[in-house]
Amino acid sequence: MFKMMVVPAYMPDQFSAWYMLNTHLQKTADIHIGLVMPESFAEVAQLQKATPAAMIYANPFDAGHYVREQGYRPLVRPREQFDEVVLVCPADAAYQRIEDLQAPLRLAVSHNEDANFIGQRLLEPAGLPENDVERQHKDNFLMVASAVARGQADVGIVSAEVYAHLSDITRSRLKVLLQSRIKEISHVWLYLPQWQAEADALQPILTQLHTGEPGRQILASLGMPAGFEILDEESMAFMIDLVDTLRD
């Protein structure tokens, strides 16, 4: 079976939209596709070890591993939509910028270590010693935002996309201190070469989703109104190299 996996970086209200996309792809390409939506990155690793997905929607930080270690190739990526990180604090906090932060600092983080890394780079201007930063580990970005909104943490590291989809009530209790502006890295659709024929059939469907209904409705529900664009080997290699540079 052609198995399509979506990594756990989506909002709960987007869950049904991924199934809508899967149904649309199956009908249009006449391919039986099994959609897999793991609840955690640990589950992703287990599933990939057992039977690697034919196609996977991965974040830019894991893409290098899939390409280099598991032999995946690039297919498409969201058009004009990049993976950025925001540092949030309680809306009523006295500090207005990173330099205003003082020790001790309660920092809420998710299990997305790469997002945490970028967030900690954004925190560097505060000049806080490691021993003065108490890290509170949460299961996901939503729980990070909730901890900050409730005053249980002073600062939280949250995906900009997740922040944009928070409820109005939650956002009213938060304030953005700083947002990354990398504008070069994004989630990507990758595929295994033994599924080349299926990938060739799916690529034009994905890149043309935004041109008509029900594609536009599906994309709107996924929070990707601009749709997808072709991702070539050179662009994929550039993104991987950039992520490696950010990690150094």
Side-chain angles (χ1 to χ4, degrees):
M1 177 189 294
F2 186 90
K3 185 170 67 174
M4 187 171 76
M5 180 184 293
V6 178
V7 294
Y10 47 84
M11 298 293 289
D13 60 357
Q14 296 173 341
F15 193 85
S16 61
W18 283 108
Y19 278 92
M20 290 169 58
L21 174 62
N22 183 52
T23 299
H24 179 75
L25 293 177
Q26 289 191 83
K27 290 182 178 179
T28 308
D30 193 23
I31 299 172
H32 182 56
I33 304 173
L35 179 62
V36 182
M37 301 186 71
E39 295 183 357
S40 67
F41 287 101
E43 186 179 353
V44 170
Q46 292 175 354
L47 291 171
Q48 283 296 97
K49 185 177 180 180
T51 306
M55 196 161 120
I56 187 168
Y57 187 63
N59 66 59
F61 306 106
D62 292 333
H65 168 75
Y66 292 124
V67 172
R68 292 169 175 167
E69 306 298 328
Q70 299 188 24
Y72 280 86
R73 293 177 180 172
L75 187 66
V76 298
R77 65 180 171 187
R79 183 182 288 108
E80 300 174 2
Q81 188 158 334
F82 305 104
D83 284 59
E84 303 290 356
V85 168
V86 294
L87 296 182
V88 296
C89 66
D92 59 358
Y95 34 91
Q96 300 295 322
R97 54 183 190 151
I98 299 299
E99 290 82 357
D100 295 335
L101 296 176
Q102 297 180 356
L105 181 76
R106 298 172 300 169
L107 177 65
V109 299
S110 69
H111 290 301
N112 188 320
E113 292 303 324
D114 292 290
N116 295 340
F117 177 78
I118 293 176
Q120 288 171 185
R121 291 282 288 269
L122 295 178
L123 277 171
E124 287 180 357
L128 300 176
E130 282 290 320
N131 292 340
D132 288 332
V133 178
E134 174 197 332
R135 285 173 176 76
Q136 301 177 3
H137 292 273
K138 308 297 181 181
D139 286 342
N140 51 54
F141 292 127
L142 292 175
M143 293 183 68
V144 169
S146 177
V148 177
R150 297 184 182 197
Q152 299 168 350
D154 302 309
V155 175
I157 300 173
V158 180
S159 157
E161 180 181 3
V162 169
Y163 177 80
H165 287 87
L166 292 175
S167 68
D168 291 340
I169 293 178
T170 301
R171 279 207 307 273
S172 70
R173 297 174 179 171
L174 298 172
K175 176 169 58 180
V176 175
L177 282 175
L178 190 62
Q179 176 171 331
S180 65
R181 302 289 180 184
I182 302 172
K183 292 188 176 181
E184 294 286 355
I185 60 176
S186 66
H187 275 61
V188 294
W189 276 113
L190 306 172
Y191 71 96
L192 287 173
Q194 57 264 43
W195 299 97
Q196 185 69 56
E198 289 80 1
D200 289 342
L202 292 170
Q203 187 181 64
I205 298 173
L206 287 166
T207 57
Q208 293 170 22
L209 270 177
H210 66 292
T211 62
E213 302 295 342
R216 281 195 290 264
Q217 292 182 3
I218 295 172
L219 290 170
S221 298
L222 290 173
M224 306 176 193
F228 298 98
E229 63 183 4
I230 293 175
L231 177 61
D232 57 32
E233 298 279 355
E234 183 178 355
S235 298
M236 184 75 259
F238 175 79
M239 191 187 305
I240 292 173
D241 289 342
L242 179 56
V243 170
D244 287 344
T245 300
L246 292 171
R247 285 174 171 152
D248 290 340

